[in-house]
Amino acid sequence: MSIKPEHLSFVEDQTIAKVLAEKQIIQSLIELPVSATIEEAFDLLLAENILSVPVYRIWKNHREPIALVSAFDLVTFVCLQPIFDDLNGPISDQDEFNGKSVFLQKSIGELIGLTPESTHLTIRHPDDSLHDLITLFTRHKVHRVLVTEQQPTGDEDIREVINADLVQPCFISQTDVVRFLLKHNHKLGKVLDLPASMVAGRATRLQPLNIERQHLINRPSSITIHDQALAAFRKIYQDGVNAVAIVNDDGVLVGEVSAADLRGLNRERLSDLKKPVIIFLDLCKGGLIKPHTCRPRFTLSQVMSGIMLKKTHRAWVVDEDDVPIGVITLSDILSMFLPDTADDWYHA
């Protein structure tokens, strides 16, 4: 009889409530009404330093959460705008170009359903298992889940609503779970000794792959220092990733662009998207910042520690010449704590 690996036993014994009990800061819920504009969503994400925001409508005098809009959803929406059809074309009149920003005044409701994660708001409860939460985060490409103590009713005409008088809803994210696992690393066993080369792209391997995403398994998404900022965001949208690497003429990793870098987009900044990516990052972040990296031989434990220490969402795997050969996301890390992942290793 085979013995269940330590990390699987630990995960199966945990609940969402236990993760929340150790969460450092539980922020009050930040929301947007479905009538808010795209520009207001961009501003809110930047001002609150968040990556997504729940959208609600008023239903029977209560706020009903209907979807979660993320920075990736906003990137997708911008990349689909006709004014950006000519990717490399020059801007003859910057004021005239910025004047085409009317799409930023559209309702945030237009983002709902634009991507799979924005079709609805995933809600879970404190007593739900950590194993099921990790499955959501890795198999279903969900990045954040709303946790509320209010249980849904069996009546289809009575929907789950957020009533601040009854519940104190909050979000639980992939970062929260990785931090929780790292804090209990002494209970996780041998899985933490696995090399980064086995972790990189793991969540993608567990997904049903279409042809367009097949290349992401062996090579991370990247652009060059000569590309426009818009090219970076289009790459994010087309590859279905949250960040792309920036490489120089020798293929060396020098920076990254993430969906979060588009936060704060407004009429005055619209033309910045047609500028070289290095200039764009200088305008919004003050310069080109070297992203967090690791080597293929690093252990899963080292990767988790580094990501938490740097307060980032990924680690780029680089070779001896600092050329990116992979990327480890929080989804990849969490996928290592699912049963089939363990089976692949323990029975190899």
Side-chain angles (χ1 to χ4, degrees):
M1 183 176 68
S2 61
I3 300 176
K4 183 176 293 185
E6 293 177 68
H7 65 288
L8 297 184
S9 297
F10 175 79
V11 168
E12 290 179 0
D13 289 340
Q14 308 306 311
T15 63
I16 291 176
K18 291 182 179 179
V19 178
L20 289 177
E22 297 185 12
K23 188 172 179 178
Q24 294 177 342
I25 299 176
I26 297 182
Q27 297 178 330
S28 57
L29 196 63
I30 300 169
E31 307 166 275
L32 275 178
V34 70
S35 58
T37 67
I38 301 294
E39 186 168 342
E40 287 174 330
F42 272 122
D43 288 342
L44 181 68
L45 293 188
L46 180 63
E48 298 293 340
N49 192 28
I50 54 178
L51 297 176
S52 61
V53 60
V55 177
Y56 70 88
R57 69 175 182 177
I58 302 299
W59 186 81
K60 292 189 176 181
N61 297 321
H62 293 298
R63 293 182 177 185
E64 179 191 9
I66 56 176
L68 183 71
V69 168
S70 69
F72 180 80
D73 298 319
L74 290 165
V75 167
T76 300
F77 181 78
V78 168
C79 289
L80 292 175
Q81 298 310 305
I83 66 168
F84 296 122
D85 286 346
D86 184 7
L87 178 61
N88 298 310
I91 298 177
S92 56
D93 188 318
Q94 181 170 312
D95 290 335
E96 179 183 354
F97 184 82
N98 287 339
K100 298 178 181 180
S101 62
V102 62
F103 67 89
L104 292 174
Q105 302 309 313
K106 291 185 177 182
S107 165
I108 197 174
E110 295 203 18
L111 297 183
I112 298 175
L114 199 58
T115 64
E117 192 172 5
S118 68
T119 57
H120 65 284
L121 179 59
T122 304
I123 299 177
R124 288 297 181 266
H125 304 90
D127 293 336
D128 291 342
S129 73
L130 177 58
H131 175 273
D132 290 345
L133 180 63
I134 291 177
T135 300
L136 269 176
F137 283 156
T138 56
R139 301 299 182 82
H140 300 283
K141 299 185 69 177
V142 173
H143 294 86
R144 294 158 199 87
V145 169
L146 182 65
V147 181
T148 172
E149 293 180 357
Q150 181 168 319
Q151 297 292 331
T153 70
D155 188 341
E156 293 184 357
D157 293 328
I158 301 178
R159 306 180 183 187
E160 186 158 11
V161 298
I162 295 180
N163 185 340
D165 296 330
L166 299 177
V167 297
Q168 291 299 325
C170 67
F171 272 101
I172 188 168
S173 67
Q174 292 184 330
T175 298
D176 296 325
V177 177
V178 172
R179 184 183 293 113
F180 175 80
L181 292 171
L182 188 61
K183 185 175 180 179
H184 296 274
N185 58 3
H186 57 289
K187 300 179 182 179
L188 301 179
K190 296 180 180 179
V191 70
L192 295 179
D193 297 328
L194 292 177
S197 57
M198 283 190 64
V199 184
R202 183 66 198 184
T204 302
R205 291 187 179 91
L206 295 179
Q207 295 286 335
L209 287 180
N210 54 39
I211 296 177
E212 288 76 13
R213 288 181 59 81
Q214 189 74 37
H215 71 282
L216 296 178
I217 291 181
N218 300 316
R219 179 181 299 176
S221 298
S222 66
I223 60 167
T224 74
I225 55 176
H226 307 291
D227 287 323
Q228 287 184 357
L230 180 59
F233 292 114
R234 277 197 169 173
K235 188 74 171 173
I236 287 173
Y237 158 61
Q238 292 168 351
D239 287 353
V241 296
N242 278 295
V244 296
I246 304 175
V247 298
N248 64 16
D249 292 336
D250 296 320
V252 173
L253 179 68
V254 296
E256 71 175 11
V257 178
S258 72
D261 293 325
L262 198 60
R263 294 178 298 182
L265 183 68
N266 53 37
R267 182 185 186 280
E268 289 70 31
R269 291 187 56 201
L270 199 61
S271 60
D272 291 348
L273 291 173
K274 301 286 282 185
K275 296 176 181 178
V277 65
I278 294 179
I279 295 178
F280 177 86
L281 290 176
D282 185 56
L283 291 172
C284 69
K285 300 173 74 172
L288 195 62
I289 301 172
K290 185 70 178 290
H292 178 57
T293 62
C294 69
R295 301 292 185 184
R297 65 179 182 277
F298 281 26
T299 66
L300 174 58
S301 178
Q302 290 174 316
V303 172
M304 293 170 66
S305 297
I307 286 178
M308 291 297 102
L309 180 64
K310 297 292 185 178
K311 297 181 179 180
T312 184
H313 294 89
R314 66 196 62 84
W316 298 96
V317 185
V318 296
D319 63 16
E320 61 276 6
D321 297 318
D322 281 341
V323 173
I325 57 176
V327 61
I328 297 177
T329 65
L330 297 179
S331 296
D332 294 325
I333 291 173
L334 293 175
S335 73
M336 302 305 293
F337 295 89
L338 292 178
D340 55 350
T341 302
D343 290 342
D344 289 347
W345 180 55
Y346 281 97
H347 296 104

